[in-house]
Amino acid sequence: MQYKKDHIEKNILETARNEFIKKSYSQVSIRNIASKAGVSKSNIYNYFKNKNELFIEVLQPVLDQVEIAKKYFIKNKLDINIYDFEIHMEMITGVTPFIDEYRDLISILLFNTHGSSLENYVDDLIDWFTNKLSYKYSDKDDSQNASINWFFAHNLAGVWYNFLRETIMHNIKGRELQKSLEKMMFFVYNGIKGVRNH
């Protein structure tokens, strides 16, 4: 009977992470991970049922953080006014440490999920945000928020997605990332003010 060893599992995960950063899910093989980790292919299956389970385990830290953020969004952001600039600025710029800490995993999630069970994860997340935001501001009697419909919310989510994508692609981090987020928030806020007054 084979016993699992933490250092072997950690080695497999680190090796897999490095492979998934360089290539899409569909291009990475268990055989290749095993070779680079210095273990047998069968040994990997002692720790993970299949490549997809290994892939999810690699990404679990960032997936957990996204779930925490979603709960925070529901609890707090949906209870505040969409036009409260200071609160939104604090929330948006607060993601800088998250992006910096999980940059490699975010990169995998954005660019290398093809062929995995997480292939549609980002699209599903954008839809989740869209539905929550448009539902919050769908009161037909509120003329100020009348323009915050599903399609508007979907495009707003797309703007933030593209910002994150470009941030990762161009390796924007630390103080530069913080300043870029602040500028982006000013841009989005003033754009929403225009929509409100239209």
Side-chain angles (χ1 to χ4, degrees), residues 37-79:
V39 300
S40 67
K41 184 178 172 182
S42 61
N43 201 8
I44 289 182
Y45 290 120
N46 288 327
Y47 295 85
F48 306 98
K49 285 191 300 187
N50 50 48
K51 184 173 75 167
N52 193 71
E53 185 180 272
L54 173 56
F55 186 65
I56 291 172
E57 188 63 29
V58 165
L59 289 172
Q60 200 60 57
V62 77
L63 297 176
D64 289 344
Q65 290 300 312
V66 169
E67 288 306 310
I68 291 169
K70 285 166 72 174
K71 288 175 185 173
Y72 180 83
F73 182 87
I74 292 172
K75 183 179 177 184
N76 297 290
K77 192 164 186 175
L78 291 180
D79 291 332

Side-chain angles (χ1 to χ4, degrees), residues 9 16 20 32 45-47 53 73 114-115 126 144-145 195:
E9 183 175 12
F20 290 129
N32 187 248
Y45 290 120
N46 288 327
Y47 295 85
E53 185 180 272
F73 182 87
H114 178 70
I126 289 172
Q144 281 193 331
N145 290 327
V195 169

Side-chain angles (χ1 to χ4, degrees), residues 20 23-28 50-53 55-56 108 111-121:
F20 290 129
K23 304 172 189 174
S24 72
Y25 172 87
S26 59
Q27 295 173 319
V28 175
N50 50 48
K51 184 173 75 167
N52 193 71
E53 185 180 272
F55 186 65
I56 291 172
I108 294 171
F111 307 117
N112 293 346
T113 59
H114 178 70
S116 76
S117 63
L118 296 175
E119 186 169 0
N120 297 316
Y121 181 86

Side-chain angles (χ1 to χ4, degrees), residues 92 99 106-113 119-127 129-130 153-169 181 184 188:
I92 290 297
I99 295 173
I106 293 171
S107 178
I108 294 171
L109 202 52
L110 291 179
F111 307 117
N112 293 346
T113 59
E119 186 169 0
N120 297 316
Y121 181 86
V122 172
D123 288 336
D124 291 343
L125 190 59
I126 289 172
D127 286 343
F129 174 82
T130 299
H154 187 69
N155 279 280
L156 184 57
V159 167
W160 283 112
Y161 161 73
N162 191 62
F163 178 87
L164 177 60
R165 182 177 178 275
E166 293 295 321
T167 294
I168 298 298
M169 286 179 66
L181 276 165
M184 189 70 181
V188 170

